């Protein structure tokens, strides 16, 4: 297999807030190969966005403790100096944010921002960079790109803004695209268009994508593999079909059952997972999901289950996973 | 942009008319007969009437206003009762001195204020921030006439380094670009710069901290921009608000500070106003107020136009 674009090993992220220490990510492993799209699924506060930000070391270093290893194209991110970090950010790795109106500088035009990003990485003239910016807007299917190049972010619609954001992230031909809930802030019809665009770019440019979302539907559209994250750990990971059709972790099953699409029958309740995620300042000693799990054994709350592979290519972190693997639900 | 500018200028005209009316009326509402101070106490009723006629005080107020306005438009602000010199030349000389003082004070105040504000905002809650913020609060809270007196005591009376009063050697009231005049400028300019310094520093600190907390700053870093490039974005985002605050401060300073100019006997508009009030010199008072008010209107106009040019969100709204 080719060298992975992204390789995360034993990532631990702890935030210090006053005397409190919040363990946002507690030992996370994830590998993304070239041109592969992986969806990281989890609810708010599960550590999915934290993981994404750590790939570019975007959190303030004063209040963040990081352990473990993150390698991008074989290069250890934690060891990069300021110049290396700048090359990584935007150069090898592009990032798309959830709300493009907040993530774009409001007082610069879309074109100015793309030109600036290109010129920060490559010694090209302003005119050349502008020509490339135009090309990028075409690539992401922005209609009448010449006009949109000189538009300010607030003058574009939500969908166009997100396309511009994607163009910006791709401006220096990165090998990996980090997408932090890129469709959450959009209308349902626009969501699909953006997902299709990402899928198309992945195929055309051989782009690896790490797609963070809480929307399983979006994940299915875009991803080759799905990783489910809960309380800072990946609890299940595998090919999309396998995870959706035969989920092995009770949490994944709960997530799938709580989907509303096609299940909104009058008089029927939406199946929700009872309870709420653990307090990350005081994480439970065992499986973090055990307190909410209807199938929990006594052993579950004693130690963190290891990641096992009961089905080839499909890993899960649950003591009882082998039972489900043997007899699918 | 040109259309917006023209429209803003058009809007300024009725404001100017209102301002001139208020200037005119305010002075007339004030009690006291302006002629008392120039006429001898034993002046005859005939002489008093003759003088009133000469200055036009015997006519109905609306007519007085229209005549005054018509002449003011032609650049004639009447004749000072106390000095018998044209008000326009008195006011413009004072304006020149005040502008000189204000220019130096703003240069000092805005530079220091911008530096303190940016540093404090960038390194929020650090010792540097606390020191800069403390200095800014001090600048806003210290009464400036008191600061002026303290500076005079220290640098003029005790150390004898700088002159205490006046705008130049030998009671000169005309500014000249030489070392002697500059020495006279230092103390009043420093005193005057303290308030805009504090206000600009505090505004910028809050502004920069707020901008840095916005998501787009993380977006900029995620694109691999250097800290300097990020700083440039912060400056451009802060510029519209910063300019509005600076414009207003500049307006206050150009208006002249009665207190500071009196403490330092600086022959500017504040000093002139003070004298005009005490001598009940109506034409001089009206003329000075009108010129100062015009300053504010024009300044607001300029700030609005510049701000609009800088912030695309206002322009299209």
């Amino acid at each position: 297999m080719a060298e992975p674009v992204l390789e995360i090993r034993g990532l631990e992220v702890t935030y210090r807030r006053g005397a409190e220490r919040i363990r946002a990510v507690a030992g996370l492993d994830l590998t993304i190969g070239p041109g592969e799209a992986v969806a990281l699924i989890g609810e708010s506060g599960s550590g999915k966005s934290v993981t994404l930000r750590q790939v570019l070391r975007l959190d303030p270093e004063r209040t963040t403790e990081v352990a473990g290893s993150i390698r991008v194209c074989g290069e250890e991110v934690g060891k990069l100096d300021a110049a290396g970090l700048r090359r990584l950010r935007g150069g090898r790795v592009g990032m798309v944010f959830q709300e493009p109106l907040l993530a774009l500088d409001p007082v610069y035009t879309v074109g100015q921002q793309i030109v600036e990003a290109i010129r920060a990485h490559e010694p090209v003239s302003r005119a050349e960079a502008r020509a490339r910016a135009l090309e990028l807007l075409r690539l992401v299917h922005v209609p009448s790109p010449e006009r949109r190049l000189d538009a300010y972010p607030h003058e574009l619609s939500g969908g166009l803004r997100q396309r511009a954001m994607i163009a910006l992230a791709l401006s220096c031909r990165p090998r990996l695209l980090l997408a932090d809930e890129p469709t959450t802030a959009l209308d349902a019809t626009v969501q699909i268009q953006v997902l299709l665009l990402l899928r198309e770019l992945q195929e055309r440019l051989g782009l690896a994508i790490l797609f963070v979302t809480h929307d399983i539907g979006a994940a299915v559209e875009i991803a080759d593999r799905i990783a489910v994250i809960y309380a800072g750990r990946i609890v299940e990971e595998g090919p999309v079909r396998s995870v959706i059709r035969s989920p092995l972790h009770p949490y994944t099953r709960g997530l799938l059952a709580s989907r509303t699409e096609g299940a909104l029958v009058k008089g029927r309740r939406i199946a929700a997972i009872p309870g709420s995620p653990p307090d990350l300042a005081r994480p439970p000693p065992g499986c973090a999901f055990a307190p909410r799990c209807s199938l929990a054994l006594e052993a579950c709350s004693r130690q963190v289950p290891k990641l096992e592979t009961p089905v080839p290519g499909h890993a899960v972190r649950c003591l009882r996973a082998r039972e489900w693997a043997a007899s699918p639900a | 942009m040109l259309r917006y500018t023209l429209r803003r200028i058009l809007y300024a005209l009725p404001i100017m008319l209102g301002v001139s009316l208020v200037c005119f009326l305010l002075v007339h509402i004030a009690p006291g007969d302006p002629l008392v101070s120039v006429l001898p106490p034993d002046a005859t009723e005939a002489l008093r009437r003759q003088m009133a006629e000469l200055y036009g005080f015997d006519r109905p107020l609306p007519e007085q206003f229209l005549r005054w306005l018509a002449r003011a438009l032609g650049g004639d602000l009447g004749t000072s009762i106390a000095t018998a010199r044209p008000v326009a030349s008195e006011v413009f000389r004072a304006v020149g001195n005040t502008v000189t003082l204000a220019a130096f004070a703003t240069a000092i105040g805005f530079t220091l204020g911008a530096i303190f504000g940016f540093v404090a905002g960038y390194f929020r809650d650090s010792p540097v921030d606390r020191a800069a913020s403390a200095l800014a609060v001090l600048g806003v809270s210290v009464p400036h006439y008191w600061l002026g007196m303290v500076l005079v005591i220290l640098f003029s009376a005790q150390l004898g380094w700088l002159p205490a009063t006046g705008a130049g050697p030998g009671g000169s009231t005309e500014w000249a670009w030489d070392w002697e005049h500059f020495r006279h400028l230092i103390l009043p300019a420093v005193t005057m710069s303290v308030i805009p310094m504090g206000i600009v520093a505090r505004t910028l600190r809050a502004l920069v901290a707020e901008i840095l907390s916005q998501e787009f700053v993380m977006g900029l870093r995620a694109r691999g921009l250097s800290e300097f490039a990020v700083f440039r974005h912060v400056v451009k985002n802060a510029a519209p608000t910063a300019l509005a605050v600076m414009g207003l401060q500049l307006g206050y300073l150009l208006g002249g500070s009665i207190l500071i100019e009196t403490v330092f006997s600086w022959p500017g508009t504040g000093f002139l106003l003070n004298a005009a009030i005490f001598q009940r010199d109506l034409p001089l008072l009206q003329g000075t107020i009108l010129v100062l008010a015009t300053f504010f209107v024009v300044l607001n106009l300029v700030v609005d136009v510049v701000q609009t040019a800088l912030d695309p969100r206002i322009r299209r709204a």
Side-chain angles (χ1 to χ4, degrees), chain A residues 186-204:
Chain A
L186 303 175
D187 290 343
T189 49
V190 183
Q191 280 188 8
I192 287 293
Q193 291 169 12
V194 169
L195 289 173
L196 289 176
L197 172 69
L198 286 174
R199 186 92 227 188
E200 180 197 327
L201 292 171
Q202 182 210 0
E203 281 160 14
R204 262 175 78 175

Side-chain angles (χ1 to χ4, degrees), chain A residues 161-185:
Chain A
R161 266 201 294 269
Q162 196 55 289
R163 282 171 196 270
M165 180 93 232
I166 294 171
L168 186 55
L170 296 178
S171 58
C172 295
R173 308 181 181 102
R175 303 203 40 209
L176 172 66
L177 185 69
L178 305 175
D180 191 358
E181 307 217 23
T183 57
T184 307

